[in-house]
Amino acid sequence: MDEKYFPEKIEQKWQQRWNESRAFEAKSDDPRPKFYCLEMLPYPSGFLHMGHVRNYSIGDALAWYKRLQGFNVLHPIGWDSFGQPAEQAAIKRGVNPRDWTEENIAHMRGQMQRLGISYDWSREIAAHRPEYYKWDQWFFLKMHERGLAYKKKSPVNWCPKEGTVLSNEQSSGGICWRCGAAVEKRDLEQWFLRITEYAEQLVADIKQIENTWPEKVLKRQRDWVGRSEGAYVDFGIKDSDQKVRVFTTRIDTIYGANAIAISAEHPLLADLLQGSSLKNDIEAFAKKVKAEAAARSREEEGPKDGMNTGILAINPFSGELVPVWVANYVLMEYGTGALMSVPAHDDRDFEFAQKYSLPVRRVIERVSHEQESIAHDEAREDQSLAMPHAFTEYGILVNSGDWSGKLSTVAMKEMASYAAEHGFGEAAVTYRIRDWGVSRQRFWGAPVPIVYCEECGTVPVPYDQLPVVLPPSAEFTGTGAPLAGVSEFVNINCPKCNGRAKRETDTMDTFVDSSWYFFRYCDPRNATVPFDPAIAAEWTPVDQYIGGDSHAVMHLIYTRFWTKFMRDLGLVSFDEPVKRLLTQGMVTNRVEGTDDWKAMSKSLGNGVDPDEMIAAFGADAARLFILFAAPVENELRWLESGIEGAVRFIRRAYTMVWRWHDRLASSDVDHDASTEFSPAARALRRKTHQTIAKITNDFEGLHLNTIVAALMELFNELSNFDANPATAPAGDVFAVREALESLVIMLAPFSPHVAEEMWESLGHSRGLLNSARWPQSDADLARREELEIPIQVNGKLRSHVFALPEVSEDELRAAALEDEKIRSIIEGHEVVKVIVVPRRLVNVVIK
RNA sequence: GCCGGAGUGGCGAAAUUGGUAUACGCACCAGACUCAAAAUCUGGCGAGGUCAAACUCAUGUCGGUUCGAGUCCGACCUCCGGCACCA
């Protein structure tokens, strides 16, 4: 140990030692309890940003803590290395995506190592390597076997200028993000994964994680799946044997239906309008609606628009005839693409009815007290005529035939049963979630393992021919599917009949890669299966997952889906892959010239380079600051002066160790019954044990910021402890050793390099990992010897008394009333009562 | 519009079951060291009030429950985030 703190030197020294001793490699077959600590794997863009640094600092703190607590910790990392940016680099700069990606990985791996994150590098994986994506393809084939992977025509965002498919994000506002051309909807054959098959489980199993995942994530997942209970009802068509099926969550309002509204794309339209004079008009209208929907940005809600088809439908409950309208607000993708319009009790239907002057009939009344209900009865007729807006609450049915007088909640159940009994409907559950489109007309992804044979049709690639390896390169023009232009890839012999065949040229969505990667970490080099189920069972489910909440739906729902599928394959035995989830807050920085704090980004110019931070302050200080500055789930505002504070703290602690290390390392001072502890030494030991208890407790809730504060408090107490290292008596030396060693061990999760250095200089030459254990708090030592009890008068703090912890209530009361200050205040007043909270406070109530 | 979450010093933030509000840090101020500055160390630091104290007021606003409310209840305001024609 040097006298002065040189972070660069210390950090390099320990990174090298960790590396040489393979200090963080996790081993199977370990009798200790396991802990799987996982951070979301990064996309190798080339550079770590502060969000990554925060993510890994949080994870590493937990991994260190668990390791020091005696757990067998798995803490791996890898690369989500397929995706668009590599292909963009190829298009723009002509570089090979593979080379670009590998270079970026190499650089970012170096950055992670300079941060000193305790990863098990022997388990590193990367999605773009054939030994990994082979298993993406394997899973795809398993799904295909079970009918969970299928192909269908589906509208995609299509840029006509570039001849390529765009994601929703790339086509927001109906404009291509690259060339600015107007985006079209095109029907293309695409591969889908049947996530809808698992919709119910994705909602129901939320109860398994509801206390350990953030509520905001679960909420978004519930919304995403969009489970909705209601009923299907069939409306007959007059003068036809056809019928229109609608979905409704409010069957209780069916007597108020004034029309059926159907989507412009509804398949019945073509049939029913055969020979109708309106046919052309309706078709023109449908076209217009489609065009407007495509042009509209996702947020906007255009005005209601519709057209009467002249068709009449029959309300199966009332027998009433209602017109069938085509309406622009009815979505073909949801429910049945048709709905019953009940303007009195639905805002959208109300708006629609207003526009076209359709009748509004009220069939639900507010449940109210009897008198009010009489008053309402008198006014009912008027209300029906001139409602200002829809009444969308549950209530009591009126004007509803035999159902009048029933409560909505009751009627909804009974009417659905009634419909089922009479064969014109049934209770139903619908979901908003759609099947997961995984086809990408791109190069840099896992090829879909499918072959199209002129004779045999669609043929899955046999398992023993996996992986379908990406060709080394392709023409990157930015238009069309690059793989389609690589003839040696495309043209092959059919695996079934050996005849002429072509490969599928779509690659898979990169979310496929990240849906199961953390299972691969358990058994990363397995060449025969994605992972050995027995080995995975040793580590999974993940005990703690940490990442940004930007993945609240996509990744985190796909991985839940994938896990359930793997469970059905018999690969895992649980429903949920992640026990606890933490969504960390963003790292923001001031945007130059403004008062805005925004997420760091290149385009805003407010980014901070982790390497510069490490060079200027050291990784230990940077990590300490990040974890101290805000609770992990809060936004973190980047302040350089805050890092300087962290450096100061580390340097002071380091200097303290330097002052004491000769004495502590050379003497084997321990205490026995004869050791005398001065009051100051006892106070220091008390603080030490209180701090251990607090920090251990805070770790369970990942309150890392208050842990750092507690470490600082302990250090401050230690600084105020007045003892000379050369001459201090045994009791003092022991108290200092206990405080200092506890401080160093508990600092390790935050600033591991300097903690190792200090630990070594305190006489533990074998290093932290092998010799240190998390300190234990002794409750007896942590207990206060004397309490300072506040005394209130009428709830206002007025004085204090000192008392022993075992003081009785009566003694406390007496002490309070004898206190000089309290006596002077209560003099001349009647003491109504005295509240004594044992060990906490006294409150004297006077009149 | 709907649904979540949050409002505490100049700033980031603390505060077991309701029990001493503002821990810890940053910034700032003063002092020591220095020819000087930086660094470092020591002290101060919610607002008003006072030589100092006493005291008064303060956790978004208004009300309530309680001996006692940042914490519980009701109404409202503001900010942030998500969803958005989902029948």
Side-chain angles (χ1 to χ4, degrees), chain A residues 728-767:
Chain A
D732 284 7
V733 173
F734 182 83
V736 169
R737 177 199 286 284
E738 184 178 55
L740 217 41
E741 292 193 346
S742 300
L743 183 68
V744 166
I745 294 172
M746 295 191 294
L747 179 64
F750 301 85
S751 302
H753 313 84
V754 70
E756 290 269 24
E757 183 73 11
M758 294 194 284
W759 185 249
E760 183 184 54
S761 74
L762 288 172
H764 306 279
S765 52
R766 281 164 301 160

Side-chain angles (χ1 to χ4, degrees), chain A residues 84-95:
Chain A
Q84 263 306 86
E87 203 158 331
Q88 284 307 308
I91 294 165
K92 282 189 194 140
R93 287 179 277 128
V95 293

Side-chain angles (χ1 to χ4, degrees), chain A residues 40-189:
Chain A
M40 289 182 182
L41 91 173
Y43 177 78
S45 61
F47 304 92
L48 288 189
H49 53 68
M50 280 298 166
H52 291 124
V53 177
R54 189 179 196 190
N55 193 177
Y56 310 146
S57 297
I58 295 166
D60 207 36
L62 184 63
W64 267 96
Y65 169 70
K66 287 290 177 182
R67 227 181 270 124
L68 287 165
Q69 285 230 318
F71 283 83
N72 183 26
V73 173
L74 175 58
H75 190 215
I77 192 72
W79 308 96
D80 186 18
S81 44
F82 269 141
Q84 263 306 86
E87 203 158 331
Q88 284 307 308
I91 294 165
K92 282 189 194 140
R93 287 179 277 128
V95 293
N96 183 286
R98 187 173 285 103
D99 298 342
W100 185 86
T101 301
E102 289 289 356
E103 273 168 36
N104 289 348
I105 289 176
H107 183 248
M108 289 171 78
R109 188 192 297 121
Q111 289 186 297
M112 287 177 178
Q113 285 168 341
R114 285 193 287 285
L115 277 168
I117 309 293
S118 65
Y119 288 129
D120 178 348
W121 288 101
S122 72
R123 293 168 184 266
E124 182 184 354
I125 57 175
H128 74 284
R129 304 203 178 121
E131 63 265 27
Y132 184 87
Y133 67 70
K134 172 179 180 178
W135 304 110
D136 290 334
Q137 295 170 341
W138 187 90
F139 278 119
F140 183 92
L141 292 175
K142 289 287 176 192
M143 288 199 185
H144 190 257
E145 274 172 20
R146 286 161 178 73
L148 294 171
Y150 66 95
K151 206 173 191 193
K152 74 167 183 197
K153 274 212 167 169
S154 166
V156 294
N157 300 305
W158 178 263
C159 173
K161 197 164 155 194
E162 298 185 0
T164 188
V165 171
L166 303 170
S167 69
N168 285 335
E169 290 72 31
Q170 292 164 348
S171 56
S172 86
I175 301 269
C176 173
W177 67 321
R178 272 196 301 271
C179 69
V183 173
E184 296 171 2
K185 290 276 177 189
R186 273 227 184 161
D187 282 336
L188 279 189
E189 288 269 327

Side-chain angles (χ1 to χ4, degrees), chain A residues 265-303:
Chain A
E265 299 149 71
H266 200 286
L268 277 176
L269 269 181
D271 276 2
L272 291 170
L273 291 175
Q274 245 4 297
S276 159
S277 59
L278 278 166
K279 191 167 186 277
N280 289 341
D281 293 350
I282 302 268
E283 271 170 10
F285 175 78
K287 212 170 254 176
K288 192 183 98 184
V289 169
K290 258 191 189 173
E292 280 173 0
R296 205 161 37 232
S297 76
R298 286 195 312 146
E299 293 82 45
E300 277 179 287
E301 219 179 87

Side-chain angles (χ1 to χ4, degrees), chain A residues 558-578:
Chain A
Y558 294 145
T559 195
R560 292 182 60 221
F561 157 57
W562 211 274
T563 300
K564 292 169 198 305
F565 174 64
M566 292 194 295
R567 176 204 60 202
D568 292 349
L569 282 184
L571 290 174
V572 303
S573 58
F574 42 81
D575 303 316
E576 289 296 329
V578 172

